[in-house]
Amino acid sequence: MNRLRDALGEVLRGLPTPLRHAVIGAAALGLPGAVVGLVLGLRAYVPTAWAAALEVGVPAAVLGGVLGLAVGSLAHLRQRSRLGSRP
């Protein structure tokens, strides 16, 4: 498990700040969205529960990615402005 965490951290560190935040945001909202969709699907009609997981999880992941991209872009701009203001 530690090797997986280290490998994931290595990949994320290699990404530009906005993209890194987009990936984290998509995972942070997409995975719980898929779980909620699966639970709702299992309660409604078991054979199509996988579709409900996609119907809720994918839009949640897109929303998380967009929000993460916006936050990452702001963080990147702030970091650049701080570096540019140094003597």
Side-chain angles (χ1 to χ4, degrees):
M1 192 61 143
N2 286 335
R3 288 190 315 184
L4 177 62
R5 186 185 68 218
D6 293 342
L8 184 59
E10 183 79 22
V11 169
L12 287 175
R13 273 191 293 276
L15 294 175
T17 303
L19 185 57
R20 179 177 8 160
H21 283 76
V23 169
I24 292 170
L29 291 184
L31 293 174
V35 170
V36 167
L38 181 63
V39 169
L40 292 174
L42 288 173
R43 291 191 66 191
Y45 188 62
V46 173
T48 59
W50 63 271
L54 289 176
E55 287 176 353
V56 177
V58 170
V62 170
L63 178 63
V66 168
L67 290 175
L69 184 64
V71 169
S73 296
L74 291 173
H76 181 70
L77 289 174
R78 184 172 178 181
Q79 182 182 27
R80 284 187 61 185
S81 68
R82 282 187 175 182
L83 290 177
S85 64
R86 289 188 180 171

